[in-house]
mmCIF file of all heavy atoms in Angstrom:
data_model
loop_
_atom_site.group_PDB
_atom_site.id
_atom_site.type_symbol
_atom_site.label_atom_id
_atom_site.label_comp_id
_atom_site.label_asym_id
_atom_site.label_seq_id
_atom_site.Cartn_x
_atom_site.Cartn_y
_atom_site.Cartn_z
ATOM 1 N N PHE A 670 127.428 85.480 130.831
ATOM 2 C CA PHE A 670 127.195 85.054 132.212
ATOM 3 C C PHE A 670 127.206 83.577 132.248
ATOM 4 O O PHE A 670 127.879 82.883 133.114
ATOM 5 C CB PHE A 670 125.955 85.603 132.833
ATOM 6 C CG PHE A 670 125.674 85.364 134.300
ATOM 7 C CD1 PHE A 670 126.559 85.787 135.141
ATOM 8 C CD2 PHE A 670 124.590 84.604 134.683
ATOM 9 C CE1 PHE A 670 126.419 85.569 136.527
ATOM 10 C CE2 PHE A 670 124.463 84.185 136.107
ATOM 11 C CZ PHE A 670 125.307 84.740 136.996
ATOM 12 N N LEU A 695 128.609 92.192 131.876
ATOM 13 C CA LEU A 695 128.286 93.450 132.391
ATOM 14 C C LEU A 695 128.091 94.511 131.353
ATOM 15 O O LEU A 695 127.202 95.332 131.340
ATOM 16 C CB LEU A 695 129.258 93.984 133.433
ATOM 17 C CG LEU A 695 129.365 93.095 134.790
ATOM 18 C CD1 LEU A 695 130.541 93.640 135.608
ATOM 19 C CD2 LEU A 695 127.951 93.295 135.546
ATOM 20 N N GLU A 699 124.724 96.563 130.668
ATOM 21 C CA GLU A 699 124.760 97.990 130.789
ATOM 22 C C GLU A 699 124.246 98.623 129.457
ATOM 23 O O GLU A 699 123.688 99.718 129.424
ATOM 24 C CB GLU A 699 126.262 98.489 131.109
ATOM 25 C CG GLU A 699 126.719 98.213 132.493
ATOM 26 C CD GLU A 699 126.175 99.187 133.533
ATOM 27 O OE1 GLU A 699 125.269 100.006 133.149
ATOM 28 O OE2 GLU A 699 126.577 99.086 134.763
ATOM 29 N N MET A 729 119.030 95.594 138.666
ATOM 30 C CA MET A 729 119.180 94.571 139.596
ATOM 31 C C MET A 729 119.963 93.387 139.082
ATOM 32 O O MET A 729 120.723 92.696 139.763
ATOM 33 C CB MET A 729 117.679 94.127 139.906
ATOM 34 C CG MET A 729 116.938 95.217 140.729
ATOM 35 S SD MET A 729 115.150 94.600 141.009
ATOM 36 C CE MET A 729 114.489 94.924 139.422
ATOM 37 N N VAL A 730 119.790 93.137 137.745
ATOM 38 C CA VAL A 730 120.526 91.979 137.087
ATOM 39 C C VAL A 730 122.069 92.311 137.230
ATOM 40 O O VAL A 730 122.892 91.424 137.616
ATOM 41 C CB VAL A 730 120.178 91.782 135.697
ATOM 42 C CG1 VAL A 730 121.038 90.876 134.907
ATOM 43 C CG2 VAL A 730 118.732 91.413 135.524
ATOM 44 N N ILE A 731 122.382 93.634 136.896
ATOM 45 C CA ILE A 731 123.836 94.003 136.966
ATOM 46 C C ILE A 731 124.428 93.777 138.377
ATOM 47 O O ILE A 731 125.495 93.194 138.467
ATOM 48 C CB ILE A 731 123.977 95.489 136.517
ATOM 49 C CG1 ILE A 731 123.550 95.635 134.954
ATOM 50 C CG2 ILE A 731 125.338 95.992 136.846
ATOM 51 C CD1 ILE A 731 123.445 96.995 134.514
ATOM 52 N N ASN A 732 123.586 94.151 139.298
ATOM 53 C CA ASN A 732 124.014 93.999 140.693
ATOM 54 C C ASN A 732 124.235 92.573 141.165
ATOM 55 O O ASN A 732 125.194 92.195 141.780
ATOM 56 C CB ASN A 732 123.095 94.735 141.696
ATOM 57 C CG ASN A 732 123.824 95.426 142.815
ATOM 58 O OD1 ASN A 732 124.823 95.981 142.673
ATOM 59 N ND2 ASN A 732 123.275 95.179 143.995
ATOM 60 N N GLU A 733 123.313 91.742 140.722
ATOM 61 C CA GLU A 733 123.328 90.250 141.020
ATOM 62 C C GLU A 733 124.588 89.759 140.377
ATOM 63 O O GLU A 733 125.208 88.728 140.953
ATOM 64 C CB GLU A 733 122.036 89.603 140.657
ATOM 65 C CG GLU A 733 120.927 89.981 141.509
ATOM 66 C CD GLU A 733 121.162 89.714 142.931
ATOM 67 O OE1 GLU A 733 121.319 88.407 143.333
ATOM 68 O OE2 GLU A 733 120.999 90.552 143.719
ATOM 69 N N TYR A 734 124.800 90.124 139.119
ATOM 70 C CA TYR A 734 126.028 89.592 138.369
ATOM 71 C C TYR A 734 127.245 89.908 139.221
ATOM 72 O O TYR A 734 128.163 89.047 139.420
ATOM 73 C CB TYR A 734 126.139 90.171 137.046
ATOM 74 C CG TYR A 734 125.256 89.493 135.905
ATOM 75 C CD1 TYR A 734 124.325 88.593 136.269
ATOM 76 C CD2 TYR A 734 125.449 89.908 134.576
ATOM 77 C CE1 TYR A 734 123.584 87.981 135.178
ATOM 78 C CE2 TYR A 734 124.793 89.319 133.558
ATOM 79 C CZ TYR A 734 123.788 88.287 133.993
ATOM 80 O OH TYR A 734 123.042 87.722 132.916
ATOM 81 N N LYS A 735 127.312 91.163 139.702
ATOM 82 C CA LYS A 735 128.527 91.605 140.454
ATOM 83 C C LYS A 735 128.715 90.816 141.824
ATOM 84 O O LYS A 735 129.868 90.519 142.094
ATOM 85 C CB LYS A 735 128.350 93.036 140.835
ATOM 86 C CG LYS A 735 128.582 94.010 139.546
ATOM 87 C CD LYS A 735 128.538 95.552 139.926
ATOM 88 C CE LYS A 735 128.763 96.404 138.742
ATOM 89 N NZ LYS A 735 128.690 97.792 139.079
ATOM 90 N N LYS A 736 127.561 90.430 142.368
ATOM 91 C CA LYS A 736 127.708 89.577 143.611
ATOM 92 C C LYS A 736 128.224 88.193 143.219
ATOM 93 O O LYS A 736 128.904 87.685 144.040
ATOM 94 C CB LYS A 736 126.294 89.379 144.135
ATOM 95 C CG LYS A 736 125.659 90.592 144.759
ATOM 96 C CD LYS A 736 124.186 90.302 145.245
ATOM 97 C CE LYS A 736 123.551 91.582 145.817
ATOM 98 N NZ LYS A 736 122.108 91.293 146.261
ATOM 99 N N THR A 737 127.922 87.775 141.994
ATOM 100 C CA THR A 737 128.642 86.552 141.573
ATOM 101 C C THR A 737 130.016 86.604 141.277
ATOM 102 O O THR A 737 130.842 85.807 141.706
ATOM 103 C CB THR A 737 127.845 86.000 140.377
ATOM 104 O OG1 THR A 737 126.481 85.752 140.587
ATOM 105 C CG2 THR A 737 128.456 84.624 139.849
ATOM 106 N N PHE A 738 130.410 87.714 140.703
ATOM 107 C CA PHE A 738 131.787 87.952 140.235
ATOM 108 C C PHE A 738 132.806 88.406 141.348
ATOM 109 O O PHE A 738 133.869 87.993 141.310
ATOM 110 C CB PHE A 738 131.784 89.039 139.216
ATOM 111 C CG PHE A 738 131.048 88.778 137.950
ATOM 112 C CD1 PHE A 738 130.548 89.870 137.106
ATOM 113 C CD2 PHE A 738 130.760 87.495 137.501
ATOM 114 C CE1 PHE A 738 129.721 89.615 136.074
ATOM 115 C CE2 PHE A 738 130.091 87.271 136.371
ATOM 116 C CZ PHE A 738 129.456 88.305 135.662
ATOM 117 N N VAL A 739 132.196 89.049 142.300
ATOM 118 C CA VAL A 739 133.065 89.641 143.289
ATOM 119 C C VAL A 739 133.819 88.579 144.219
ATOM 120 O O VAL A 739 134.924 88.814 144.586
ATOM 121 C CB VAL A 739 132.250 90.628 144.247
ATOM 122 C CG1 VAL A 739 131.309 89.880 145.198
ATOM 123 C CG2 VAL A 739 133.258 91.490 145.125
ATOM 124 N N SER A 740 133.102 87.486 144.448
ATOM 125 C CA SER A 740 133.730 86.413 145.321
ATOM 126 C C SER A 740 134.933 85.819 144.640
ATOM 127 O O SER A 740 135.857 85.308 145.383
ATOM 128 C CB SER A 740 132.617 85.364 145.713
ATOM 129 O OG SER A 740 132.172 84.778 144.533
ATOM 130 N N GLY A 743 137.187 89.810 143.011
ATOM 131 C CA GLY A 743 137.644 90.898 143.855
ATOM 132 C C GLY A 743 136.802 92.145 143.710
ATOM 133 O O GLY A 743 135.747 92.209 143.090
ATOM 134 N N ARG A 745 136.789 94.979 142.313
ATOM 135 C CA ARG A 745 136.433 95.699 141.169
ATOM 136 C C ARG A 745 134.994 95.613 140.831
ATOM 137 O O ARG A 745 134.425 96.328 140.076
ATOM 138 C CB ARG A 745 137.342 95.361 139.970
ATOM 139 C CG ARG A 745 137.102 96.161 138.663
ATOM 140 C CD ARG A 745 138.310 96.134 137.794
ATOM 141 N NE ARG A 745 138.469 94.995 137.083
ATOM 142 C CZ ARG A 745 137.910 94.609 135.881
ATOM 143 N NH1 ARG A 745 137.108 95.545 135.328
ATOM 144 N NH2 ARG A 745 138.149 93.416 135.292
ATOM 145 N N TYR A 746 134.452 94.374 141.275
ATOM 146 C CA TYR A 746 133.112 94.008 140.934
ATOM 147 C C TYR A 746 132.164 94.121 142.182
ATOM 148 O O TYR A 746 131.151 93.416 142.205
ATOM 149 C CB TYR A 746 133.163 92.481 140.493
ATOM 150 C CG TYR A 746 133.965 92.351 139.180
ATOM 151 C CD1 TYR A 746 135.101 91.957 139.176
ATOM 152 C CD2 TYR A 746 133.393 92.552 137.873
ATOM 153 C CE1 TYR A 746 135.977 91.826 138.154
ATOM 154 C CE2 TYR A 746 134.174 92.567 136.813
ATOM 155 C CZ TYR A 746 135.425 92.089 136.942
ATOM 156 O OH TYR A 746 136.242 92.010 135.824
ATOM 157 N N LYS A 747 132.541 95.061 143.008
ATOM 158 C CA LYS A 747 131.797 95.272 144.293
ATOM 159 C C LYS A 747 130.353 95.583 143.900
ATOM 160 O O LYS A 747 130.108 96.573 143.222
ATOM 161 C CB LYS A 747 132.405 96.287 145.174
ATOM 162 C CG LYS A 747 131.712 96.560 146.496
ATOM 163 C CD LYS A 747 132.405 97.548 147.267
ATOM 164 C CE LYS A 747 131.713 97.849 148.627
ATOM 165 N NZ LYS A 747 132.407 98.883 149.345
ATOM 166 N N PRO A 748 129.389 94.904 144.379
ATOM 167 C CA PRO A 748 127.835 95.410 144.185
ATOM 168 C C PRO A 748 127.533 96.537 144.912
ATOM 169 O O PRO A 748 128.189 96.973 145.923
ATOM 170 C CB PRO A 748 127.128 94.140 144.535
ATOM 171 C CG PRO A 748 127.938 93.482 145.683
ATOM 172 C CD PRO A 748 129.394 93.679 145.341
ATOM 173 N N ASP A 749 126.296 97.127 144.564
ATOM 174 C CA ASP A 749 125.765 98.260 145.306
ATOM 175 C C ASP A 749 124.651 97.839 146.177
ATOM 176 O O ASP A 749 123.677 97.283 145.856
ATOM 177 C CB ASP A 749 125.129 99.187 144.221
ATOM 178 C CG ASP A 749 124.648 100.443 144.816
ATOM 179 O OD1 ASP A 749 124.548 100.574 146.099
ATOM 180 O OD2 ASP A 749 124.283 101.412 144.112
#
Side-chain angles (χ1 to χ4, degrees):
F670 184 62
L695 291 172
E699 291 280 8
M729 292 176 282
V730 174
I731 292 168
N732 213 46
E733 291 300 303
Y734 278 10
K735 288 180 177 179
K736 290 177 185 178
T737 300
F738 300 150
V739 70
S740 60
R745 184 159 75 89
Y746 299 92
K747 182 179 179 181
D749 181 353

